[in-house]
Amino acid sequence: MDRFTGIHAVREALEAGSSFDRIVIAKGRQDSRIEDIVQLARARGIAVRFEDRAQLDRIANTRDHQGVVAIAAARSASTLEDILERANQSKGQQGLIVLLDGVEDPHNLGAIIRTALASGAHGIVIPERRAAGLTDTVARASAGALAHLPIAKVTNLVRTMEELKEAGYWLVGLDEHAEKSYTEVDYTTPTGVVMGGEGSGLHELTRKRCDFVVSLPTTGPVKSLNVSVATGVVLFEARRQRHAAKR
């Protein structure tokens, strides 16, 4: 993971136009130089997070970071409008968008990006906070797919879900406790597939905004699948239904 540490290095990189996924600042670190960095970052649409100093030590791999660490981005984030435009310009194909409710493992995010691209999805939506960013690790895990699929970062995932509904999308959330099977939903209309984070699954507010909540039937002691695998199962069911509908 490429990173910049220290007040001067981060500020100079921001002023030079370097692309960052996020700026992480130690909680309680407040002075005019830190405020300048925060304002520069926000003016460029770069997420700013405040974390415990121990977390910064881990991110920076050193304690000599002056309470500021900038994580380089493998690419700039897109917007929801970019994804909707891509879907609208796709001839003969209804929109298919993946929304991730807090996927924090960069390898899972990379795998989901690759699967989404292969299944014909038009883009992915991720929240700015409590989620993996668009780092080099994600780019490598996607095996190049990150360069071809728009990924939108949003400040409020629930609000984005409402915007998609207003745009005519039906939202399908995956939850291992849901009674309805993922195959019992019609994916041939504009669809948003909503996936929860590792371990925690869908947050309650996110779950309530879904039009359908479905599960993947499993056998034996395994009750749930890795989020990247589960995403692939649902997306290729959508692809199967859409292909069948064209016959």
Side-chain angles (χ1 to χ4, degrees):
M1 181 188 300
D2 291 331
R3 60 181 73 80
F4 291 76
T5 60
I7 292 172
H8 295 299
V10 172
R11 181 186 175 89
E12 288 179 6
L14 282 168
E15 291 177 340
S18 298
S19 180
F20 289 117
D21 177 72
R22 63 190 182 277
I23 309 291
V24 187
I25 297 173
K27 290 180 179 178
R29 184 73 163 85
Q30 292 180 336
D31 59 45
S32 59
R33 296 181 300 171
I34 293 295
E35 184 61 26
D36 286 344
I37 287 174
V38 171
Q39 295 302 323
L40 281 169
R42 288 178 173 164
R44 293 187 47 209
I46 299 171
V48 177
R49 300 183 187 177
F50 295 88
E51 304 282 357
D52 294 331
R53 184 167 288 271
Q55 177 68 3
L56 265 77
D57 293 347
R58 287 191 291 271
I59 295 172
N61 199 28
T62 178
R63 293 184 178 181
D64 187 21
H65 48 64
Q66 298 181 298
V68 183
V69 182
I71 310 300
R75 56 160 286 184
S76 299
S78 300
T79 65
L80 179 63
E81 290 71 25
D82 293 332
I83 295 175
L84 290 173
E85 182 178 359
R86 179 185 175 113
N88 292 336
Q89 292 177 349
S90 183
K91 296 181 179 180
Q93 186 178 4
Q94 300 285 4
L96 180 61
I97 298 172
V98 180
L99 298 92
L100 302 180
D101 184 18
V103 172
E104 298 187 41
D105 187 322
H107 296 92
N108 278 336
L109 178 56
I112 290 170
I113 291 170
R114 184 163 179 79
T115 300
L117 181 64
S119 65
H122 296 99
I124 295 177
V125 176
I126 60 176
E128 285 187 350
R129 298 180 58 81
R130 293 185 296 277
L134 303 182
T135 62
D136 284 340
T137 302
V138 172
R140 289 193 295 271
S142 77
L146 179 59
H148 302 283
L149 191 70
I151 315 295
K153 276 189 170 186
V154 299
T155 55
N156 189 312
L157 188 65
V158 171
R159 187 181 305 131
T160 299
M161 293 172 72
E162 294 296 340
E163 291 176 15
L164 282 174
K165 286 187 176 186
E166 292 173 4
Y169 280 71
W170 293 89
L171 302 182
V172 182
L174 197 69
D175 186 310
E176 63 179 273
H177 302 296
E179 295 183 2
K180 183 186 290 289
S181 170
Y182 76 104
T183 58
E184 298 179 70
V185 173
D186 180 6
Y187 299 94
T188 61
T189 59
T191 302
V193 175
V194 189
M195 305 296 299
E198 301 92 347
S200 60
L202 294 175
H203 290 96
E204 186 61 25
L205 283 176
T206 308
R207 194 181 195 278
K208 287 181 178 178
R209 293 305 192 283
C210 293
D211 298 297
F212 305 99
V213 180
V214 300
S215 62
L216 301 181
T218 60
T219 60
V222 176
K223 300 302 180 184
S224 63
L225 299 176
N226 173 280
V227 63
S228 63
V229 175
T231 304
V233 172
V234 177
L235 288 177
F236 276 91
E237 169 62 15
R239 181 176 176 81
R240 183 195 67 79
Q241 288 189 17
R242 292 172 177 215
H243 182 71
K246 290 181 179 180
R247 294 178 179 176

